[in-house]
Amino acid sequence: MKELTYVRPTDARDAVARVSDDPHARFLGGGTNLVDHLKLGLLTPDVLVDVSRLPLDEVTRLDDGTLRIGTNVRNSDLAAHPVVRSSYPAVTRALLAGASGQIRNQATTGGNLLQRTRCVYFQDVTTPCNKREPGSGCSAIGGYGRYDAVLGASEACVATHPSDLAVALAALDAVVVVLGRDGERRVPMSDFHRLPGHHPETDTTLAHGELVTSVELPPESALTRASDYRKVRDRASYAFALVSVAAALELDGDVVRDVRIAWGGVAHRPWRAAAAEEALRGETYSEEAVRAAAELELAAAVTGPDNAYKIPMVRNATAYALRGLADRSSERTGATR
Amino acid sequence: MDTSITLTVDGRRHDVVVDTRTTLLDALRERLAVTSAKKGCDHGQCGSCTVLLEGRRHLTCLTLAVAHDGDEIVTAAGVSALEGGAGDDAPTSLHPLQEAFLAHDGLQCGYCTPGQVCSAIGMLDEAKQGHPSHVTDDLEESVDPADLDDDEVRERMSGNLCRCGAYGGIVDAIREVAGGAPREGQPDRPAQPEREAAR
Ligand SMILES: Cc1cc2nc3c(=O)[nH]c(=O)nc-3n(C[C@H](O)[C@H](O)[C@H](O)COP(=O)(O)OP(=O)(O)OC[C@H]3O[C@@H](n4cnc5c(N)ncnc54)[C@H](O)[C@@H]3O)c2cc1C
Ligand code: SF4
Ligand code: FES
Ligand code: FES
C-alpha cells in the first residue's frame, strides 16, 4: 500500500472540496470495499477523506411523504427501520440478502451504491482489466464467464454490478442526492449507474468529488408496500447474487394496475425491465404473461456457454417474485385466481 | 503517515501511534498485543476478526485503525465484563455464551471462536432490538431472541465461518443463551443419535 493521508472533514462541503481539488483523494465510508481494494492494490489514493462520521445518518419523512435516507445510515439500520420494513419491504429484503451482519453494521448507504464489481479479474492486479486499467483488455471475455453480464455489456467490459440495495432502489424509483462543488443535484437511480460502453472504468455518472449525501424514496404507496426482493446465489447466505429481482405489483382484481421490475446480476448496472413492465401494465395477471414479459425484456440478451443459465434463472426468479406478490394481494382482497 | 490515536480495548485505554494504512485488526494484534481478534482471511469473508465496536459486532480487517480514534472495543477476551457476564473483578471467568460454547462443543480448534462469540453477542443484541433477518417471514412481526430457530441463528451467524464445522454446537450454544434452546428431539433439530449417525 502507498503512503496515505487520512482526514476527517468538518462537514459535507469540506469533504467535497478536499476530494474535488485532489485527483488522488477518495471518500472513505464504512471501508468494507475500499479498504479491501487498498490491500489488493486496486486503488492507490494519496488521501482518504473519511465521510463516515458526518451527521448524515438519519432516516426522515419529509412533508410530502418522501423518505430521506442519510448516506451514513448503516445497511443494518436501514434494513431494520420500521417504516422501511412496512412500506418499502424490497429495500429491507435486498439489504438482508447481502453480505453479513457485521458488514451491514459497517457499510453505509452511499458506499453500498458505489461498491465496485466483484469480477474476479478486476480484483486481481496480475490480469488485464479495462475497468482497472483502461485499454489493458478484458480478461473475462474468453475467460471465466459464469458471472458475466447478459444485457448491456460491451466489448470493453462484461462485468455486473454487485449491489443488492441498488436493485431495490432502481425498482422503487429512488433518487440519489449528490453534493458537488456547484451545489446539490438529484440523480434518479435510473441515471446513477452506467453501462460500460467504451469507458468501463467509470461505474456511475458522478464526477470526481461529488458526495452522495442521501437517497430519497418516493412517498409510500400501495405499490411500494407490495414490493419484494428475490436473490439467487451459490450459497443460502453470505454470497453475491447470480441473479436477483426487485419487484412491486399492484393488482386491481386480476388486472395489473402497476408493476415494477428491476434485475441484478445481469448487467453493469441495476437493470430496470421497462419493456417487461410496459407489457404487463393493464393486462390480466398470469404467470405466463410474466414469463412472456421477461422474455421480451431478454430479447436483446447476449450469452456465452458459461452464463446462458442466467436467462431462465432471471425469468424464473421474476415469475417467482411476482407470484409471491400476487398471492399476497389476493389474500388481502379475498380474490381467487 | 504516522498518527496518534486512542483506543479503549476490553476496558483498558491505549494511546498508540499507527501508520494510516494499519487496519484495526493489525493495530490490535501487532501494536497492542491483543490477540483474541483472529486474522482468518483479512478480506471480510470469514468473521474471525469480529469484535464489539461501540457495542455492535464489527469486522476489524476491513477498517483502518485511524478511523477509530476514541472508539471503545470489546474482544472475546473482555466479554465477561459485559452486562450478563461475570463482571470486571472476575477476569478469568467466562461470559454465559462462552460457557455455552464449552458445554455444547461449539468449537474444535478454537480459531474462529473469539469471532463467533463476539458476533453471537452482537447478533442477540440486534435480535433484542427487533432486527429481522433474511429468513424472517413477516418483516413487521416483532422479533425476540428466544424465538430464533436454527434457521434464524444460522442465517444471522452466516458471516462467521468455522473450518472445523462446529456449527451444530455453535447453534445449540447460542440458542441456549437466547433462552430458546431446543430440547432433545424437537422437530427443527435432529436428536443427538441421528446427528451422530449422519456424520
Ligand atoms: C465478504 C463480503 C460480502 C459481501 N456481500 C455482499 C452482497 O451479498 N450484496 C451486496 O450488495 N454487497 C455485498 N458486499 C459489499 C458491501 O455491501 C459493500 O462493501 C458496502 O456496502 C460498501 O459500503 P462502505 O460504506 O463500506 O463503502 P466503502 O468501502 O467505504 O466505499 C466504497 C466506495 O464508495 C465511495 N464512497 C463511500 N461513501 C461515499 C459517499 N457518501 N459519496 C460518494 N462516494 C462514496 C468510496 O470512495 C469507495 O469508492 C459484501 C462485502 C464483503 C466484504
Ligand atoms: S469484465 Fe470488466 S471488470 Fe472484468 S476483466 Fe473485463 S473489463 Fe475488467
Ligand atoms: S479476518 Fe476479518 S473477516 Fe476474515
Ligand atoms: S473451531 Fe476450528 S475453525 Fe471453528
Side-chain angles (χ1 to χ4, degrees):
Chain A
M1 268 192 233
K2 202 165 101 180
E3 276 285 308
L4 192 61
T5 305
Y6 169 91
V7 282
R8 281 189 190 176
T10 50
D11 56 22
R13 286 193 178 282
D14 180 35
V16 169
R18 284 171 186 271
V19 175
S20 301
D21 288 346
D22 182 348
H24 301 292
R26 286 280 184 287
F27 296 123
L28 173 65
T32 58
N33 198 221
L34 192 144
V35 173
D36 205 18
H37 287 178
L38 295 178
K39 292 184 191 186
L40 294 168
L42 306 191
L43 202 66
T44 51
D46 293 335
V47 182
L48 287 183
V49 177
D50 184 355
V51 294
S52 71
R53 298 197 182 222
L54 294 177
L56 300 165
D57 59 352
E58 279 181 18
V59 178
T60 36
R61 191 135 42 175
L62 309 185
D63 286 344
D64 69 350
T66 297
L67 195 72
R68 178 179 290 166
I69 301 155
T71 188
N72 284 331
V73 176
R74 297 306 194 259
N75 288 179
S76 50
D77 296 323
L78 183 57
H81 194 281
V83 174
V84 179
R85 279 156 76 170
S86 62
S87 305
Y88 308 91
V91 173
T92 290
R93 289 283 179 208
L95 286 163
L96 293 178
S100 67
Q102 292 95 311
I103 293 171
R104 293 192 294 270
N105 275 340
Q106 192 176 337
T108 62
T109 307
N112 188 308
L113 300 185
L114 285 144
Q115 62 174 302
R116 308 210 65 196
T117 184
R118 306 305 281 204
C119 171
V120 289
Y121 302 105
F122 173 71
Q123 297 181 81
D124 175 356
V125 290
T126 64
T127 60
C129 167
N130 288 324
K131 187 180 277 299
R132 182 165 27 77
E133 225 173 286
S136 64
C138 170
S139 302
I141 297 175
Y144 184 74
R146 193 158 171 268
Y147 304 130
D148 289 359
V150 297
L151 286 165
S154 73
E155 280 171 19
C157 177
V158 293
T160 57
H161 196 269
S163 166
D164 292 300
L165 172 64
V167 180
L169 294 180
L172 297 178
D173 290 314
V175 172
V176 186
V177 183
V178 173
L179 185 69
R181 287 233 88 137
D182 305 323
E184 199 170 273
R185 96 188 157 90
R186 306 164 55 77
V187 188
M189 268 305 282
S190 52
D191 298 333
F192 189 80
H193 294 98
R194 4 178 351 270
L195 289 178
H198 298 300
H199 290 285
E201 69 278 12
T202 322
D203 294 347
T204 68
T205 54
L206 294 192
H208 181 74
E210 279 192 312
L211 178 77
V212 172
T213 55
S214 66
V215 171
E216 292 183 354
L217 283 164
E220 66 167 282
S221 63
L223 194 66
T224 67
R225 281 190 294 272
S227 66
D228 201 357
Y229 186 76
R230 301 281 180 171
K231 176 173 177 178
V232 188
R233 41 186 163 171
D234 282 329
R235 295 189 294 263
S237 188
Y238 206 16
F240 285 92
L242 297 170
V243 306
S244 68
V245 178
L249 180 67
E250 193 185 347
L251 289 179
D252 185 356
D254 250 7
V255 175
V256 178
R257 180 179 290 167
D258 207 353
V259 61
R260 298 281 186 280
I261 302 169
W263 289 336
V266 300
H268 195 257
R269 51 181 284 185
W271 188 272
R272 182 70 180 267
E277 292 177 7
E278 197 46 50
L280 287 170
R281 223 169 264 127
E283 299 296 315
T284 301
Y285 172 87
S286 72
E287 190 160 325
E288 297 73 60
V290 172
R291 286 176 183 278
E295 204 63 60
L296 188 73
E297 186 75 41
L298 287 163
V302 178
T303 60
D306 290 353
N307 65 352
Y309 74 91
K310 285 191 178 183
I311 303 291
M313 193 180 265
V314 74
R315 196 174 50 220
N316 290 342
T318 305
Y320 182 49
L322 287 175
R323 191 203 307 153
L325 292 169
D327 286 350
R328 266 189 270 157
S329 164
S330 44
E331 262 168 45
R332 264 198 315 277
T333 58
T336 49
R337 221 187 20 258
Chain B
M1 197 179 101
D2 282 347
T3 309
S4 171
I5 60 167
T6 303
L7 297 173
T8 303
V9 185
D10 296 334
R12 271 188 61 196
R13 209 186 117 113
H14 302 266
D15 297 310
V16 58
V17 175
V18 290
D19 184 279
T20 332
R21 296 164 291 189
T22 311
T23 62
L24 183 57
L25 179 60
D26 286 340
L28 290 172
R29 295 184 58 86
E30 311 295 334
R31 304 301 312 281
L32 303 179
V34 174
T35 53
S36 55
K38 303 295 182 207
K39 187 183 281 192
C41 65
D42 213 20
H43 290 284
Q45 295 169 352
C46 75
S48 70
C49 66
T50 305
V51 299
L52 295 165
L53 189 125
E54 298 287 307
R56 307 178 79 178
R57 55 177 170 160
H58 201 288
L59 302 181
T60 51
C61 67
L62 289 187
T63 194
L64 298 175
V66 280
H68 296 286
D69 184 20
D71 281 357
E72 171 144 7
I73 292 154
V74 175
T75 73
V79 292
S80 77
L82 294 175
E83 193 185 334
D88 261 332
D89 11 334
T92 53
S93 63
L94 299 176
H95 185 278
L97 202 87
Q98 292 169 315
E99 299 277 11
F101 264 66
L102 289 174
H104 291 275
D105 284 337
L107 68 156
Q108 204 180 101
C109 78
Y111 196 80
C112 71
T113 313
Q116 301 276 6
V117 165
C118 289
S119 186
I121 292 173
M123 179 280 274
L124 290 175
D125 194 50
E126 288 159 16
K128 212 158 133 191
Q129 291 170 44
H131 287 204
S133 86
H134 172 63
V135 298
T136 306
D137 280 334
D138 183 351
L139 291 182
E140 295 184 61
E141 214 164 71
S142 67
V143 173
D144 187 308
D147 296 339
L148 300 181
D149 61 12
D150 282 11
D151 284 350
E152 280 278 6
V153 172
R154 285 172 182 275
E155 164 58 30
R156 289 167 190 259
M157 291 295 292
S158 72
N160 291 82
L161 306 190
C162 174
R163 281 299 299 270
C164 299
Y167 296 113
I170 293 171
V171 172
D172 289 348
I174 293 172
R175 288 194 62 179
E176 182 190 295
V177 172
R183 287 173 307 276
E184 201 172 320
Q186 202 165 305
D188 66 347
R189 176 131 203 90
Q192 200 64 33
E194 252 177 80
R195 264 159 62 210
E196 292 291 314
R199 272 191 194 152

